């Protein structure tokens, strides 16, 4: 059974950065993509970007380009999402989710609440 | 940028059929997925590649996609189906989620 376990909640100051981790177990980490999706309070889902660990290739939504860095450590089956220059509007639950080709996001992490407040 | 539009809310009586639409330019030329999200929980994939159900998803969930509209249909809706539903598609190297639909089972 595949499990994605994310790091715990964070409280950050405006202008700082946050790094969220997502550790995979029970599946083939490298051959799937790991995506990052966020959800602001009371709002919908927003795709931020993804990485394909096998090829160490990542891409992100235009909205986040220049502010988001997505990496992966194949040795520990862990993906990371770092968001910089935080502002209050970045307060959200951040999810990681696994996907391959057009098979959808079939497994999700439990979510990590990031609160940006002065 | 690509956009997917859903109705904000759909109401359905228990045992009846709920249909949720997702509109986007030439969406029928892409694969559509659907996710169910209950309050405080992570989303769950209910339909992928337009009309396929992952293991464990009840048969009452079905999907279609043609033209500019993808549709998620819940037949014989149950109280446990009350949730938010999101469509998703892949366009120009990015994933896009729909605006979301709250399904209320009255």
């Amino acid at each position: 059974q595949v499990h994605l376990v994310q790091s715990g909640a964070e409280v950050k100051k405006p202008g700082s950065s946050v790094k969220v981790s997502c550790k995979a177990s029970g599946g083939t980490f490298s051959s799937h993509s790991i995506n990052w999706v966020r959800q602001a309070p009371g709002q919908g889902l927003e795709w931020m970007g993804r990485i394909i660990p096998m090829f160490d290739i990542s891409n992100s939504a235009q909205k986040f380009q220049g502010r988001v860095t997505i990496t992966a450590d194949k040795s520990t089956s862990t993906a990371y999402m770092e968001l910089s220059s935080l502002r209050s509007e970045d307060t959200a639950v951040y999810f990681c989710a696994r996907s391959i080709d057009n098979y959808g996001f079939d497994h999700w992490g439990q979510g990590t609440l990031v609160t940006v407040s002065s | 940028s690509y956009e997917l539009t859903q109705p904000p809310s759909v109401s359905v009586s228990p045992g009846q059929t709920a249909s949720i639409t997702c509109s986007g330019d030439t969406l029928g030329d892409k694969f559509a997925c659907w996710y169910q999200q209950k309050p405080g929980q992570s989303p769950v994939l209910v339909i992928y590649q337009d009309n396929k159900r992952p293991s464990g998803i009840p048969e009452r969930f079905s999907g279609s996609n043609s033209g500019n509209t993808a549709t998620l249909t819940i037949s014989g809706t149950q109280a446990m189906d009350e949730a938010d539903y999101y469509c998703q598609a892949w366009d120009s190297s990015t994933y896009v989620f729909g605006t979301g639909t709250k399904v209320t089972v009255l």
Side-chain angles (χ1 to χ4, degrees), chain A residues 35 37 39 43-47 50 59-62 95 99 101-106 108-111, chain B residues 1 31 33 35 37 40-45 48-49 84 86 88 90 92-99:
Chain A
N35 299 269
V37 177
Q39 186 171 38
Q43 302 301 308
L45 303 174
E46 182 174 33
W47 183 78
R50 68 165 184 172
N59 70 298
S60 60
Q62 188 170 13
F95 296 99
S99 70
D101 293 334
N102 294 306
Y103 289 82
F105 292 9
D106 61 351
W108 292 67
Q110 82 276 20
Chain B
S1 61
F31 277 127
C33 295
Y35 300 87
Q37 187 182 33
Q41 298 184 17
S42 301
V44 173
L45 178 68
Y48 67 97
Q49 290 183 359
D84 293 328
Y86 297 90
Q88 180 202 47
W90 171 258
S92 301
S93 300
T94 65
Y95 285 104
V96 179
F97 284 99
T99 50

Side-chain angles (χ1 to χ4, degrees), chain A residues 23-73:
Chain A
K23 183 172 176 61
S25 62
T28 51
F29 178 74
S30 292
S31 60
H32 291 79
S33 295
I34 297 293
N35 299 269
W36 289 92
V37 177
R38 78 176 186 181
Q39 186 171 38
Q43 302 301 308
L45 303 174
E46 182 174 33
W47 183 78
M48 300 179 68
R50 68 165 184 172
I51 188 165
I52 308 174
M54 176 180 285
F55 305 114
D56 205 21
I57 293 173
S58 65
N59 70 298
S60 60
Q62 188 170 13
K63 174 179 179 177
F64 299 102
Q65 288 176 8
R67 271 212 311 147
V68 70
T69 303
I70 298 174
T71 57
D73 182 345

Side-chain angles (χ1 to χ4, degrees), chain A residues 74-116:
Chain A
K74 291 189 289 290
S75 69
T76 60
S77 299
T78 303
Y80 301 89
M81 186 283 299
E82 183 171 21
L83 188 63
S84 62
S85 302
L86 290 170
R87 36 207 187 232
S88 59
E89 309 90 88
D90 294 318
T91 293
V93 175
Y94 290 77
F95 296 99
C96 62
R98 189 188 83 159
S99 70
I100 184 166
D101 293 334
N102 294 306
Y103 289 82
F105 292 9
D106 61 351
H107 289 86
W108 292 67
Q110 82 276 20
T112 297
L113 175 62
V114 175
T115 303
V116 182

Side-chain angles (χ1 to χ4, degrees), chain B residues 15-39:
Chain B
Q16 299 304 303
T17 297
S19 294
I20 306 163
T21 58
C22 173
S23 298
D25 189 40
T26 62
L27 179 56
D29 293 339
K30 312 175 195 303
F31 277 127
C33 295
W34 290 91
Y35 300 87
Q36 175 194 71
Q37 187 182 33
K38 297 181 179 180

